[in-house]
Amino acid sequence: AVAVKLGCSTGPGGGSARYLRGTRLAAQLRHPHVVKVLDSGRWGPNRRHYFMVMELIAGVPLGTMRHLGISIGHKVGLI
């Protein structure tokens, strides 16, 4: 299973080039606490949309934990 992050640049240059450079750098990282980037690129009309495919990590998203009132100290302990 994978997780896919999608984005769209809104203007000339729009940030997608910077985003894609970041995904290429992230794809080179290998560490047990860093999600693996499997693929990234552009798609759609004028290739203004971009995507990043990552390994899917089992567990509860940290944003969900925030809504549950779990303290940051406990979250850090889970990592």
Side-chain angles (χ1 to χ4, degrees), residues 62 69-78:
L62 292 178
I70 298 172
S71 72
I72 188 69
H74 184 71
K75 290 177 194 175
V76 170
L78 294 175

Side-chain angles (χ1 to χ4, degrees), residues 51-74:
F51 68 92
M52 178 171 52
V53 180
M54 303 161 281
E55 65 178 327
L56 182 62
I57 303 296
V60 178
L62 292 178
T64 301
M65 295 167 89
R66 182 187 64 192
H67 296 298
L68 297 175
I70 298 172
S71 72
I72 188 69
H74 184 71

Side-chain angles (χ1 to χ4, degrees), residues 32-47:
H33 297 292
V34 177
V35 66
K36 289 183 182 98
V37 175
L38 306 172
D39 194 11
S40 65
R42 297 175 189 236
W43 63 280
N46 299 323
R47 298 175 52 84

